[in-house]
Amino acid sequence: MTQGVFALERVLAVEPTNDLARAEIARAYFILGERETARQEFTTVQQSGQAPDEAIDTINKYLALLDQARVEEGRRISGYIEMSLGYDTNINSATDQSQIILPLLPGIQFQLDGNAQEQESEYMRVAGTVNASHPISEHWDVVAGARGYYRLTDKPFSTQDAYGYVGVAAEYGKHRMTAAGTAENFEIDGNTLRNIYGGFAQWIYAIDDQSRFNLSVQGSNIQFAAIGARNVDRYTFAAGYIRALRHARRPVIYGSVYGGMEDENDKAFPQFGHDFYGGSIGGSLQILGNARAFANFALEHRDYNGPDALFFTVRDDTQFIVTTGIEFELVHGWKIIPEVSYINNDSNIVLSDYDRVVAGVRARFSF
């Protein structure tokens, strides 16, 4: 069969418009399992307009078989499950102040309730993610996925989150586009705090074998279960870049920038809406045969739309997060990940000014 391919290649080198030879070489590629090359050759003959009807019928059958093979082999499911244990110095992201003074009553100190002050606790967290894709044509896939976690801490600050998406993705050469609808539920101590409904679109461009560039846009409606006045529409625009460097340590670097707004649904409460912008940089490095160190720095600034109802000033926040750790791969698919994060939210409203340290160890199984 290989010798036959060589002979047909010589014929096509002399007679590139010989549809009979091109159809035969396409059939040979099909038998040899070189499916993408076979598809290209069959499509060339199909679009030439010179092949007889019976030949086109045969080519269509081969193309259908190629599509079916892609569907059967192209189904992909991936994800992970993990469990982590650790310690959080501020599980409720609260101020470390015990007393505050309100501008309306200067000189009078108000004692904060214990739940409104910084609380520390051990934690146990179970989390998981699953992503699936199913091809529906040569270039298009149906995609869907879900993620969630449950984080157990001292009451009443245990949290859980569930998120899901479904959409479509298309891949043409170096370009991959995805669009999907999303839904999310977030709970504190078993009670829903907010539900989020929306969608996103993303474009990824493979610059070369080592680097990727992406653009994305996301829109959602955030609905708070107990306080409808806090409901907002959130819009985010982002760009990112990732590159794997050619080095024995296999370093990977990445960065991203983003910006957007949360537009309050009830214009009587502008203090619940804000503009935001930020970015992150980070990377990872192989330090041992089975160990990879990583670090990330993220920064976000938020400007709120109206004065706070208690403090009579427009809230202004700047938050940064530093995370570092090491991934130890025990065997294929299994990792142990000790890590530590420092979070600081610098705010001109004392109730929103806090910092926290979260340190823990994750055990992850990827599939």
Side-chain angles (χ1 to χ4, degrees):
M1 181 61 69
T2 304
Q3 291 177 344
V5 170
F6 289 155
L8 290 167
E9 286 177 342
R10 288 194 294 271
V11 171
L12 289 171
V14 178
E15 302 178 58
T17 60
N18 189 326
D19 284 344
L20 178 60
R22 193 170 297 278
E24 283 300 316
I25 200 172
R27 190 175 69 85
Y29 283 134
F30 179 88
I31 295 171
L32 290 171
E34 297 183 28
R35 292 173 181 165
E36 288 307 312
T37 305
R39 181 189 298 279
Q40 292 172 9
E41 299 295 353
F42 278 133
T43 303
T44 299
V45 178
Q46 184 188 54
Q47 295 175 350
S48 72
Q50 303 299 317
D53 291 343
E54 58 269 22
I56 294 298
D57 289 341
T58 301
I59 287 171
N60 288 337
K61 291 176 182 178
Y62 275 111
L63 289 173
L65 289 173
L66 289 168
D67 287 339
Q68 181 181 353
R70 181 179 183 273
V71 169
E72 292 175 351
E73 296 177 1
R75 299 186 185 103
R76 297 185 296 274
I77 298 178
S78 63
Y80 67 84
I81 54 175
E82 69 177 25
M83 178 177 178
S84 55
L85 299 172
Y87 191 81
D88 189 335
T89 65
N90 191 351
I91 56 174
N92 52 334
S93 299
T95 179
D96 59 1
Q97 302 295 309
S98 60
Q99 297 177 328
I100 61 172
I101 297 176
L102 299 178
L104 185 63
L105 298 169
I108 300 178
Q109 291 187 331
F110 290 86
Q111 183 71 32
L112 288 177
D113 178 83
N115 289 338
Q117 300 177 45
E118 180 180 280
Q119 302 287 325
E120 56 186 289
S121 172
E122 300 86 0
Y123 70 85
M124 185 274 290
R125 185 175 183 269
V126 178
T129 294
V130 61
N131 297 290
S133 65
H134 181 87
I136 53 177
S137 71
E138 180 183 355
H139 297 286
W140 287 84
D141 297 333
V142 174
V143 295
R147 68 169 186 260
Y149 73 82
Y150 175 70
R151 190 175 193 259
L152 177 64
T153 64
D154 287 344
K155 289 188 174 183
F157 300 113
S158 294
T159 58
Q160 64 186 63
D161 183 85
Y163 168 90
Y165 72 91
V166 62
V168 293
E171 190 163 348
Y172 290 87
K174 295 184 175 183
H175 305 269
R176 181 172 176 84
M177 292 76 70
T178 305
T182 63
E184 183 174 5
N185 171 264
F186 179 77
E187 297 184 0
I188 298 180
D189 201 33
N191 299 308
T192 294
L193 174 66
R194 60 180 178 263
N195 292 304
I196 305 174
Y197 306 97
F200 70 88
Q202 182 183 57
W203 167 62
I204 299 175
Y205 177 67
I207 300 171
D208 52 40
D209 291 341
Q210 286 78 45
S211 55
R212 300 287 186 273
F213 174 76
N214 69 80
L215 293 173
S216 65
V217 59
Q218 182 174 8
S220 57
N221 178 248
I222 305 175
Q223 301 178 4
F224 288 84
I227 309 175
R230 291 185 63 185
N231 293 353
V232 296
D233 293 318
R234 181 180 174 93
Y235 306 96
T236 305
F237 305 89
Y241 175 79
I242 183 170
R243 182 169 181 81
L245 303 177
R246 296 185 185 278
H247 188 275
R249 299 291 183 181
R250 294 185 292 160
V252 175
I253 58 173
Y254 60 86
S256 66
V257 293
Y258 64 90
M261 68 183 72
E262 288 192 4
D263 185 24
E264 66 276 5
N265 290 176
D266 191 334
K267 299 305 179 182
F269 299 94
Q271 67 270 29
F272 294 134
H274 65 271
D275 297 331
F276 60 88
Y277 57 88
S280 67
I281 57 173
S284 63
L285 184 72
Q286 201 78 20
I287 56 175
L288 295 172
N290 68 333
R292 190 169 187 85
F294 62 88
N296 180 76
F297 176 81
L299 180 72
E300 179 175 295
H301 183 76
R302 298 183 289 270
D303 291 315
Y304 285 76
N305 297 342
D308 183 86
L310 290 177
F311 294 92
F312 302 152
T313 188
V314 177
R315 181 176 164 187
D316 184 280
D317 287 11
T318 298
Q319 182 182 78
F320 70 85
I321 303 173
V322 180
T323 300
T324 187
I326 301 176
E327 292 184 349
F328 294 95
E329 185 168 20
L330 304 181
V331 294
H332 179 69
W334 284 95
K335 291 181 180 180
I336 297 294
I337 310 169
E339 62 185 347
V340 60
S341 296
Y342 175 70
I343 303 101
N344 182 286
N345 195 74
D346 183 20
S347 177
N348 62 341
I349 302 293
V350 64
L351 294 180
S352 301
D353 189 85
Y354 67 88
D355 64 358
R356 63 192 289 199
V357 176
V358 183
V361 178
R362 292 184 282 145
R364 172 181 290 191
F365 170 67
S366 299
F367 57 90

